[in-house]
Amino acid sequence: MSQEKKEPKRSKPASKRDIFKKPVDKHSVENLVRPFILKDEDYKRLMEIMLGEFNKGLGKETNPTAKVKMYPTYVRDVPDGTENGNFLALDLGGTNFRVLLINLNGQEVTMESKIYLIPQHIMTGTGEHLFDHIAECIYKFMNNHDLLNQKIPLGFTFSFPCKQMGLNHAVLTQWTKGFKCEGVEGEDVVRLLHEAIKRRGDIDVECLAVINDTVGALMSCAHSDRECAIGLILGTGTNACYIEKLENVELWDGDNNEPKQVMINTEWGALGDDGCLDFIKTEYDRQVDKHSINPGRQTYEKMISGMYMGEIVRLALEKLRKHGLLFNGKGSEELSTRGRFYTKYVSEIESDVDDHFKNTKQVFEELALEKYSDEDCRIAQYVCSLVSTRAAFLAAVGVATLLNKMERPDVSVAVDGSLYRFHPHFHDLMVEKIEQLIKPGLKFKLMLSHDGSGKGAAIVTAVANRLRESQSESIGENGLEN
Ligand code: ADP
Ligand code: MG
């Protein structure tokens, strides 16, 4: 099985425990971190804002100025489980770039994959250079797997905001998550990939489908759970897709055949880019944004996802230290260095369940902090938990808004991403908040999706390939358009 329900964790996040011994500290520390704590009414207001933004993105007239773009994908239905064959997949759009070989055979799925580094100079270089690099990685992978003399259909999981024009046409709207390659925004990334493959001339690969990682997660879980109707990413960035009725998608330009639905890639990371989240922003959020490579963009994402969470915590810890409330006011070069407090530290620190603070002390050592007390450990844990709790609750608002909008009685949400996977409380916090916010009678579960970006791409490609092989008459009837 490629997915499972996350085991509930026993311990409570520090934000829910009374951890301070000295009331005077509590007062001043709390004063500085209070902005991270949102009230119930804030979350309710956020729900309304979010629904408004989703509808703006879906409306024909409002879409051009909407910040949450609600892109229709050309994926119309979940898999039926009969998909089979060998497929290549590319996963680009986060920490690691991977090439995968996937074999689908009914419910049996096997895959091999290899991670290839994308050096910083390529991430911020030219598009041609990026796609040449990708094509070279495909070549190396095929060479290592003895596939050079075969023609294998490829699915491309490209997890950046794209306006999709067909199943294998996706125009990049804007780079996010640290990528900034010249000459790609406004272009069809499948065309750029095909051109790079052609420039090499030594591999025979055709990309049949380009999908977003949210769609990959959804499709991958739906392969064994037909109730799956939302795909959610909580990794480097955050985004979600869901199944929407065609009648609600004013921008839909495909056919109206059954099933009268399509997956919508919300690109919700951009929520707030018009200022609608300013009422919950803290000084720490503003600083993170200011020093990012895309200031003013991806506001919601920057409050939630793994690329930014550690930095928010670091800024708050630094502030406390400067006020003499942490480490006796004495920091370290590491703690003062932007990006040096990794988001995985947040998970590690929050995983300490007793007063030995083993992980927390380990993190302090890694940050070259020389002197720290148990009280420092407690405060650091508290700050981490406030930031991660806010993130989990904000993500929960998004999921609850989609659940209420869809009004399906029982929905499985496929979740992928290291933040969700490894943080000790993220799952439980999200469940708690979603339960508070959804309409009575609606049921849901959050499922961990393993490797959706590979398996999901293979499934969509398999269907596209089947359609292509069975000639054009059946296009449209099988839930996918090309
Ligand atoms: P991507 O979203 O890039 O496909 P991942 O799902 O692995 O990849 O997410 C990477 C992000 O997850 C990084 O920003 C990293 O900081 C964060 N991350 C990695 N490990 C952990 C962890 N143990 N706890 C919380 N976040 C983590
Ligand atoms: Mg990923």
Side-chain angles (χ1 to χ4, degrees):
M1 280 282 256
S2 62
Q3 54 215 318
E4 69 208 24
K5 199 172 168 189
K6 273 198 128 180
E7 284 299 316
K9 301 284 182 314
R10 255 164 276 120
S11 63
K12 273 191 192 167
S15 57
K16 300 200 166 174
R17 280 182 260 135
D18 190 17
I19 56 164
F20 292 99
K21 292 197 172 135
K22 288 180 273 177
V24 55
D25 277 3
K26 175 170 174 162
H27 192 72
S28 5
V29 169
E30 289 228 316
N31 258 343
L32 293 178
V33 295
R34 180 169 304 133
F36 290 124
I37 305 171
L38 304 182
K39 296 187 214 63
D40 281 354
E41 65 212 52
D42 293 327
Y43 288 108
K44 295 221 172 84
R45 184 167 157 205
L46 283 167
M47 292 273 288
E48 279 164 31
I49 290 174
M50 218 152 170
L51 180 62
E53 294 296 300
F54 288 162
N55 286 333
K56 235 193 246 176
L58 288 171
K60 200 172 195 151
E61 303 213 318
T62 42
N63 177 277
T65 56
K67 289 295 180 187
V68 182
K69 286 296 186 189
M70 307 295 276
Y71 294 115
T73 68
Y74 283 73
V75 182
R76 296 282 292 275
D77 205 357
V78 295
D80 65 10
T82 63
E83 294 73 22
N84 70 73
N86 276 328
F87 303 93
L88 284 172
L90 301 180
D91 177 13
L92 179 73
T95 319
N96 293 314
F97 165 61
R98 297 179 308 157
V99 183
L100 303 96
L101 175 66
I102 297 131
N103 180 270
L104 301 177
N105 182 11
Q107 286 298 311
E108 260 175 60
V109 182
T110 53
M111 58 177 119
E112 290 170 63
S113 70
K114 183 155 168 55
I115 291 174
Y116 294 90
L117 271 183
I118 300 206
Q120 189 65 33
H121 73 273
I122 293 188
M123 282 173 77
T124 51
T126 69
E128 198 171 297
H129 203 169
L130 173 70
F131 283 95
D132 280 342
H133 180 72
I134 292 172
E136 187 185 337
C137 295
I138 302 175
Y139 169 83
K140 284 185 186 156
F141 184 88
M142 292 181 78
N143 191 22
N144 287 341
H145 290 78
D146 252 340
L147 300 168
L148 284 177
N149 53 0
Q150 293 188 38
K151 187 172 171 70
I152 307 180
L154 177 134
F156 188 4
T157 300
F158 183 77
S159 307
F160 298 97
C162 282
K163 183 166 165 45
Q164 202 128 2
M165 324 289 256
L167 195 57
N168 63 353
H169 297 287
V171 173
L172 176 68
T173 335
Q174 63 186 41
W175 286 116
T176 55
K177 298 183 280 190
F179 274 79
K180 211 166 191 153
C181 302
E182 212 182 291
V184 186
E185 288 181 350
E187 300 295 328
D188 176 357
V189 295
V190 177
R191 183 179 60 78
L192 296 177
L193 175 66
H194 283 158
E195 284 173 5
I197 289 172
K198 213 162 147 199
R199 273 197 293 278
R200 291 191 66 86
D202 53 4
I203 43 177
D204 190 5
V205 169
E206 188 187 356
C207 173
L208 297 187
V210 58
I211 62 166
N212 186 266
D213 51 357
T214 55
V215 173
L218 196 165
M219 292 298 275
S220 161
C221 271
H223 197 235
S224 53
D225 177 355
R226 298 274 305 178
E227 306 293 351
C228 189
I230 295 179
L232 169 64
I233 300 294
L234 292 162
T236 302
T238 181
N239 187 17
C241 73
Y242 72 106
I243 301 176
E244 180 60 280
K245 298 186 192 85
L246 284 184
E247 64 191 54
N248 294 334
V249 189
E250 290 183 7
L251 286 170
W252 178 244
D253 58 2
D255 68 60
N256 267 303
N257 298 338
E258 293 292 340
K260 294 188 190 303
Q261 60 180 30
V262 64
M263 283 176 207
I264 298 289
N265 168 18
T266 64
E267 287 297 339
W268 75 15
L271 181 84
D273 293 4
D274 59 355
C276 70
L277 294 182
D278 285 359
F279 76 105
I280 59 166
K281 260 194 204 164
T282 66
E283 62 179 287
Y284 313 105
D285 298 308
R286 278 188 280 269
Q287 278 197 56
V288 164
D289 180 55
K290 191 170 136 199
H291 292 114
S292 66
I293 72 167
N294 53 351
R297 298 202 156 158
Q298 302 296 101
T299 308
Y300 181 65
E301 174 163 276
K302 285 172 180 162
M303 291 179 165
I304 294 176
S305 73
M307 184 158 185
Y308 311 98
M309 185 185 286
E311 180 63 7
I312 298 177
V313 169
R314 188 190 70 82
L315 291 167
L317 295 180
E318 269 292 80
K319 175 113 185 183
L320 293 174
R321 180 193 64 77
K322 284 184 190 149
H323 280 71
L325 296 162
L326 259 182
F327 314 126
N328 260 329
K330 191 168 176 322
S332 66
E333 203 182 314
E334 279 78 355
L335 188 65
S336 310
T337 304
R338 204 169 289 139
R340 182 60 185 79
F341 192 102
Y342 309 128
T343 298
K344 70 171 182 166
Y345 290 166
V346 178
S347 294
E348 286 163 10
I349 290 175
E350 287 196 68
S351 296
D352 273 335
V353 289
D354 56 35
D355 281 355
H356 297 304
F357 295 112
K358 185 167 159 279
N359 296 340
T360 308
K361 288 177 179 169
Q362 172 73 35
V363 169
F364 287 174
E365 295 289 328
E366 280 183 37
L367 293 170
L369 292 159
E370 281 165 12
K371 281 199 177 143
Y372 45 81
S373 62
D374 280 2
E375 190 70 358
D376 290 331
C377 292
R378 247 174 240 120
I379 292 173
Q381 197 179 54
Y382 180 63
V383 172
C384 286
S385 79
L386 288 184
V387 175
S388 64
T389 300
R390 183 186 68 155
F393 285 177
L394 287 174
V397 166
V399 173
T401 307
L402 290 179
L403 289 169
N404 286 352
K405 182 168 180 17
M406 285 193 286
E407 285 193 308
R408 291 187 180 208
D410 200 347
V411 171
S412 299
V413 182
V415 196
D416 197 356
S418 295
L419 175 60
Y420 174 82
R421 188 177 302 228
F422 297 120
H423 186 278
H425 306 296
F426 224 83
H427 171 89
D428 292 354
L429 289 164
M430 283 188 71
V431 169
E432 169 194 326
K433 200 53 160 186
I434 296 169
E435 276 169 355
Q436 279 171 21
L437 295 172
I438 52 172
K439 294 177 184 168
L442 298 186
K443 285 205 250 162
F444 72 97
K445 55 177 175 296
L446 304 184
M447 329 253 301
L448 187 61
S449 157
H450 284 288
D451 242 323
S453 296
K455 187 175 147 191
I459 292 168
V460 177
T461 306
V463 180
N465 194 43
R466 189 172 68 210
L467 289 180
R468 191 168 70 161
E469 282 174 354
S470 70
Q471 304 289 300
S472 52
E473 299 119 76
S474 58
I475 288 181
E477 290 173 13
N478 291 273
L480 283 169
E481 268 236 347
N482 200 348

